Amino acid sequence: MSHEEVMKMMEETGLPFAYDHFVEGESPEPPFLVFLYPKADNFAADGIAYFKISQLDVELYTDLKQPELEERIEGVLLKHGIFYGKSEVFIESEQLYEVLYEMEV
């Protein structure tokens, strides 16, 4: 999946989003998304990256738990045939929930 395809997928969620972070002072009110490619796990053959595999993390930030919103995001991922892992944490210092979707693209 190309970066352009990931961007289109993010747009389909209908939420504000940014790559890695929002500029200081320009973060929207929750809910919003942040996505990034924290690492690659490429398949090597003959000493080259024969097949490129990037990890894609999509982070949903909300001030309240919103299962319906999570289902909407998961629906977008499934529509694109993406298998994902999911975890959640409450960030005390920000008073925000972070739902993390981890996948390979």
Side-chain angles (χ1 to χ4, degrees):
M1 179 175 271
S2 70
H3 181 71
E4 291 78 22
E5 291 169 317
V6 170
M7 293 289 287
K8 288 185 81 165
M9 184 174 68
M10 297 298 291
E11 288 173 5
E12 289 177 30
T13 67
L15 294 173
F17 65 90
Y19 181 79
D20 191 52
H21 66 280
F22 285 92
V23 176
E24 184 74 28
E26 294 187 19
S27 178
E29 291 295 316
F32 59 86
L33 297 169
V34 172
F35 74 101
L36 62 146
Y37 309 102
K39 66 180 180 177
D41 188 18
N42 298 329
F43 179 78
D46 298 325
I48 63 168
Y50 179 75
F51 186 74
K52 294 182 180 182
I53 303 169
S54 295
Q55 180 178 327
L56 170 63
D57 288 357
V58 176
E59 304 167 356
L60 168 64
Y61 293 93
T62 60
D63 50 2
L64 300 171
K65 178 73 175 161
Q66 297 187 30
E68 304 83 18
L69 182 56
E70 292 173 34
E71 288 178 16
R72 185 169 92 199
I73 292 166
E74 292 162 14
V76 171
L77 297 174
L78 292 173
K79 174 184 165 191
H80 288 272
I82 294 176
F83 175 78
Y84 59 88
K86 179 180 174 181
S87 61
E88 179 180 318
V89 66
F90 182 72
I91 304 170
E92 190 75 36
S93 63
E94 301 291 330
Q95 292 293 294
L96 290 174
Y97 289 96
E98 176 196 49
V99 178
L100 171 62
Y101 296 95
E102 295 177 295
M103 63 216 77
E104 292 182 338
V105 293

